[in-house]
Amino acid sequence: VQTMKGSIIVVNSEGEIVFVNEDARASLTGTYSETSVMHIETCLDWIDYDICSLVKGVFRDDNRIEDIETNILNKDGSISSYMMAAFTAIFRGNDVVVLSLFDVTTQKKAKELLENIALRDELTGLYNRHFLESIIYEEFAKSQSYHQPLSAAILDLDDFKLVNDKYGHPVGDVILKEAADTIVKTIRNSDFAIRIGGEEFIVLMPNTNEKGAMITAEKIRAAIENLEFSTVGQVTVSIGVAQRQFDEKYTILYKRLDAALYKAKEMGKNKIILSKPDEII
């Protein structure tokens, strides 16, 4: 991958390159020379960034802009991330804009990895409880503001403690991973699958009423029931479903979900129970 660590590109008021340092040369789409004319907009594959407007703005009135985030497509097809500064200067007697770019691809990937670790369950790869807490109030606010339904389902694998006790936690982990993968394959891309602890999961379904939520829950229940494990055979799941009511807080919705799940367990497991608004605890 050809990167531009510490790259310097100098352009005139027309956006034409008048100087580049060695770090920048390697990533130019053409070969730079002092006698050739290369334009800043076309010599690098800027991704969704209007570099010409930036240069004109710095010339016009900004003088200097720091901490600009941008992405550039490399010659090998990879994408690199940069922090860029742009400022006016005098070069060979002419007014120019100096672009100073620093490759932060590694740092950005490390940050994304850390964020992913913080928001993902290590075993299943699903979102974790911390992620749920970070989005739930925003999702509730969107539902309220746009008058869109929002539903959720809480799922608990039946008799899972017996599986761990009889076959051991490594076998239990395989079942959890397979169940998690099954949930993800069953729900929409706009839904959120979250492991909140142990063998318990929540599926948050924006813009979904209770009827749609029940359909999704049944798909999940049936898909998990149809899984076959060489060691334990069949596993099942009990599910509580609820649609959020107007002005209902998450704590109340969760209580309704949990009560519906408890009822599903009481009624013989491998069942789905819908919580009605008048069943608020």
Side-chain angles (χ1 to χ4, degrees):
V1 178
Q2 294 176 327
T3 59
M4 296 197 305
K5 295 179 176 65
S7 298
I8 299 295
I9 304 175
V10 181
V11 299
N12 62 22
S13 59
E14 301 300 319
E16 297 170 346
I17 296 175
V18 295
F19 174 81
V20 294
N21 69 351
E22 286 301 319
D23 284 334
R25 286 175 186 267
S27 288
L28 298 180
T29 56
T31 302
Y32 171 78
S33 71
E34 292 189 2
T35 58
S36 64
V37 177
M38 300 183 70
H39 199 278
I40 186 61
E41 184 180 22
T42 56
C43 73
L44 290 170
D45 289 327
W46 303 89
I47 298 177
D48 298 327
Y49 192 83
D50 190 348
I51 189 67
C52 292
S53 293
L54 171 69
V55 170
K56 290 177 182 177
V58 174
F59 265 119
R60 184 176 61 250
D61 48 25
D62 292 325
N63 296 320
R64 185 180 186 96
I65 303 177
E66 301 277 0
D67 299 331
I68 305 164
E69 294 188 27
T70 186
N71 295 316
I72 293 175
L73 180 65
N74 296 314
K75 291 179 179 179
D76 64 358
S78 63
I79 296 174
S80 293
S81 300
Y82 299 95
M83 292 299 294
M84 179 168 59
F87 53 91
T88 55
I90 302 296
F91 179 75
R92 295 174 181 169
N94 297 310
D95 292 329
V96 296
V97 166
V98 178
L99 301 175
S100 176
L101 298 98
F102 293 90
D103 190 329
V104 294
T105 306
T106 302
Q107 295 92 319
K108 190 171 182 178
K109 287 182 178 178
K111 181 181 178 182
E112 290 174 351
L113 177 62
L114 289 173
E115 289 175 348
N116 193 46
I117 291 172
L119 299 177
R120 294 276 184 178
D121 174 61
E122 184 176 0
L123 175 64
T124 64
L126 298 185
Y127 291 117
N128 59 22
R129 185 186 292 270
H130 179 68
F131 173 82
L132 176 63
E133 293 171 351
S134 72
I135 67 156
I136 192 66
Y137 298 107
E138 180 182 351
E139 290 300 323
F140 273 35
K142 285 194 293 187
S143 172
Q144 191 98 349
S145 298
Y146 298 110
H147 301 284
Q148 293 177 339
L150 184 148
S151 297
I154 186 168
L155 304 83
D156 189 274
L157 296 179
D158 296 324
D159 301 318
F160 191 72
K161 185 177 184 303
L162 297 178
V163 172
N164 277 334
D165 291 345
K166 184 175 181 179
Y167 300 101
H169 287 278
V171 172
D173 287 350
V174 170
I175 293 173
L176 286 171
K177 289 178 184 178
E178 189 68 26
D181 289 344
T182 300
I183 292 170
V184 172
K185 291 175 184 176
T186 306
I187 64 177
R188 305 170 304 178
N189 290 335
S190 56
D191 297 333
F192 300 97
I194 301 147
R195 185 187 180 199
I196 56 176
E199 66 273 24
E200 197 166 84
F201 307 88
I202 278 183
V203 176
L204 189 66
M205 294 170 270
N207 201 21
T208 305
N209 60 21
E210 61 182 37
K211 181 179 179 180
M214 287 292 286
I215 291 172
T216 297
E218 172 56 25
K219 288 179 180 178
I220 294 172
R221 187 207 64 76
I224 290 179
E225 184 182 32
N226 288 331
L227 292 175
E228 286 291 337
F229 297 94
S230 58
T231 306
V232 303
Q234 186 185 56
V235 297
T236 60
V237 64
S238 297
I239 306 176
V241 175
Q243 179 179 336
R244 180 191 180 241
Q245 301 304 299
F246 191 77
D247 276 340
E248 185 175 33
K249 296 185 181 301
Y250 171 65
T251 52
I252 301 301
L253 177 65
Y254 183 84
K255 286 182 179 180
R256 290 205 290 127
L257 287 167
D258 197 50
L261 173 63
Y262 183 77
K263 190 173 181 180
K265 295 284 190 182
E266 278 192 323
M267 293 179 64
K269 304 171 185 174
N270 194 23
K271 287 182 170 53
I272 304 168
I273 297 296
L274 174 65
S275 172
K276 293 297 185 178
D278 57 1
E279 295 173 339
I280 296 177
I281 301 172

